[in-house]
Amino acid sequence: MPVYQIKDFQSGLDLRKSYATAPAGSLRILRNCIISAGAEIEKRTAFILWGAAPAGSYGALSRNGEFFVVVNGASGITDWSGNTPGIISLPFPVGMTRVADWDLFNGLFYIVMAGSDGRYYHFYNQVQVTDPMATASSVRTFGSKMYGVDGRLLRFSAINDPTHWTPPTGTTNDGSGYIDLSAQDADSTNLIGLEVYLGNMAIFSSLSTQIWKLDPDPSLNNFVQLLRSTGLLASQGLVQFGQDVLYVSSHGVRSLKVQNVSLTAGTTDIGTPIDEVFRQLIIQNGAAWFAGARTLIQPRSGRVMVILPDRIYMLSTFQEPAITAWSSFDAPFNFVDACVADPWVLIRGSDNNLYIYGSDVTSTYDATEAEVITPALNCESPSKNKMFHSFDVGAEGTWTLSVGCDPNNQATEETVATFTGSTYVNPTMTMPETSTHISLRFRTTDASRCRLGQVSLIFDDGSTD
C-alpha cells in the first residue's frame, strides 16, 4: 500500500492557502506549541506564577535580570526580593493610567507615564523631568541621547543629559531639539514609536515609516528614506531582530528590512503566513485593540513573541534547516504588560499577578490543551478516492488523534485513537476512513513534554504500488 509522509512541520502556522490546497508541513492551527530547531512540534512550557504585583503598581520593567514595577511615592528604588519585584517609586504630579514606555540611559531608568489628564510625564532616575519639551509618548536611547516621538515631532535630548529637551537660544548647541517629520510626509502627523535600524533610526506613524541618520550634532541629522503604507499600531509593538526590526502593523507583523528593499510585503515578508489572523482581529476588535501589543525576543531561544491582549504569536526561526514558523499561545489571563529579564519573559496579567515564561533550570508543563490541525491532505492525488487504513507518528507524550475527511468543511471530524509515544511498534493504530483528503488533528492535555515528529499515512487508492 502507498505510504504518505509528513516529514516535518517547518512551515508552522500558515494560512496563505486554503484548507483544501495548503501543502503538507503547514498547519491550520498550531496552538500552545512551538516549532523546534528540528522542525518538530513541541508543546509550550507553562506560564509560571512568579508573584503578585504590589497593589496600585503599574507596568513591567527590567534591569540586570531583575523585575520592577512602578508605584506612586517619594523618589526611590528598591531591588527585588524573593518573589517581590523591585519597586520604582515616582512622585506622580497627577493620577497615572499606565507605563507608556521606558528605556535605560546610562544604566538608569527613563520612564514615560501616561497621565489621567491625557499628558505624558517623564522621569529619569526616579525624578520627574520638568523640561517643558519632555512630552514624548515613546522614547528610545541612541547615540548618547534620548529620542522620543510627540505628535508629528521627533524630539531629542541634550548629549548625555536626558533631562534637557529644550534647545538653547543663540549659538549654543547642546544637542537637544526636534524635527518636524510631517515636513517630509503628510502621513507622519501622529508618530507612534521608534527603533534603531542598521545604525539609523526608524520612526513610525500608523501609516508610514521614515528612516533618519541621526547624529549627536542636530545639524548633521539627515533624512534617508520614506516608506509609505507601512506603519505601527503599538508603541511597544516593535523589536530589533538581528539586523532587522519586526513590528505590528495594520497588515500584520512586518519586517522593516523586507519593506525597505521591496516596498511591499509580497509573499516573502516574515508575517504573511498569519496575515489572515491579523485581518480578522482588526475586523473584530478595531486597530485600537492592538495599542497595548508588546513584541519581545525570548532569551536563550531567540524566538519572537508578539503579545496581544488575549493571545501570543510566537515566531520560531532557525537557519539550518530553514525554519520560519508561527504558532499561537492561548492566554490563561489577559496580558497587560511584559518585559525581558534573562532568562525569562515576565508577563503582567489582568489578575494583577506576575508570570514568567521560560526557565533557567527545568522546563515546567501544565494541562493546557495543545492543538495541531493540518490542512486537508490529498496525498499527491487530489481527485482520487482513498481508503485510509492506519497511521504512524514519531511522538512523545499522550495525544488524541481525530481526522476530518471533508475538504469543504474543516469543522467536521471523528476521533480515531489515543496513543502515548511513538506508534511504530503498535500494530493497532487503524484509521478506517475513505475520502479524497484527510486532515489530522492532534490534541493533548498531558502535563509533561509532548512532541510530534514525522507522520505516516497508510492508504489504498487502487494503485498497484
Side-chain angles (χ1 to χ4, degrees), residues 242-439:
Q243 297 297 307
D244 201 355
V245 173
L246 303 187
Y247 58 99
V248 178
S249 79
S250 58
H251 306 292
V253 181
R254 288 291 174 262
S255 155
L256 187 56
K257 181 178 290 186
V258 170
Q259 297 289 314
N260 192 19
V261 171
S262 66
L263 302 184
T264 179
T267 59
T268 60
D269 204 301
I270 203 164
T272 50
I274 57 171
D275 276 359
E276 178 61 21
V277 173
F278 276 77
R279 188 178 75 86
Q280 292 299 327
L281 287 174
I282 288 178
I283 291 172
Q284 294 167 11
N285 303 304
W289 183 78
F290 289 86
R294 303 289 189 273
T295 303
L296 307 172
I297 306 294
Q298 183 190 1
R300 310 296 172 92
S301 76
R303 289 184 172 90
V304 177
M305 301 178 71
V306 180
I307 302 174
L308 303 178
D310 67 354
R311 69 197 71 189
I312 293 174
Y313 287 97
M314 181 76 83
L315 175 65
S316 302
T317 60
F318 303 97
Q319 290 187 345
E320 187 60 40
I323 295 173
T324 302
W326 288 96
S327 60
S328 68
F329 292 0
D330 292 340
F333 43 84
N334 281 345
F335 302 123
V336 174
D337 209 338
C339 67
V340 171
D342 188 24
W344 301 287
V345 171
L346 177 78
I347 297 176
R348 183 173 183 139
S350 56
D351 57 1
N352 212 37
N353 283 322
L354 302 173
Y355 298 83
I356 53 175
Y357 181 77
S359 172
D360 63 342
V361 183
T362 59
S363 295
T364 302
Y365 298 89
D366 59 19
T368 297
E369 183 185 63
E371 182 179 33
V372 180
I373 296 182
T374 74
L377 305 171
N378 60 47
C379 303
E380 308 300 337
S381 53
S383 300
K384 186 177 288 189
N385 214 38
K386 310 164 191 70
M387 179 174 286
F388 295 95
H389 290 282
S390 59
F391 69 94
D392 273 317
V393 185
E396 293 181 31
T398 298
W399 295 84
T400 296
L401 172 64
S402 300
V403 297
C405 294
D406 184 351
N408 294 313
N409 187 353
Q410 183 174 331
T412 61
E413 65 175 55
E414 178 182 348
T415 300
V416 171
T418 296
F419 59 93
T420 300
S422 297
T423 64
Y424 300 121
V425 296
N426 190 336
T428 63
M429 295 294 104
T430 58
M431 185 174 56
E433 303 289 342
T434 300
S435 179
T436 57
H437 294 68
I438 189 166
S439 168

Side-chain angles (χ1 to χ4, degrees), residues 6 9 19 26-28 372-377 438-440 442:
I6 305 174
F9 297 95
Y19 173 61
S26 68
L27 297 164
R28 309 306 291 177
V372 180
I373 296 182
T374 74
L377 305 171
I438 189 166
S439 168
L440 307 177
F442 298 93

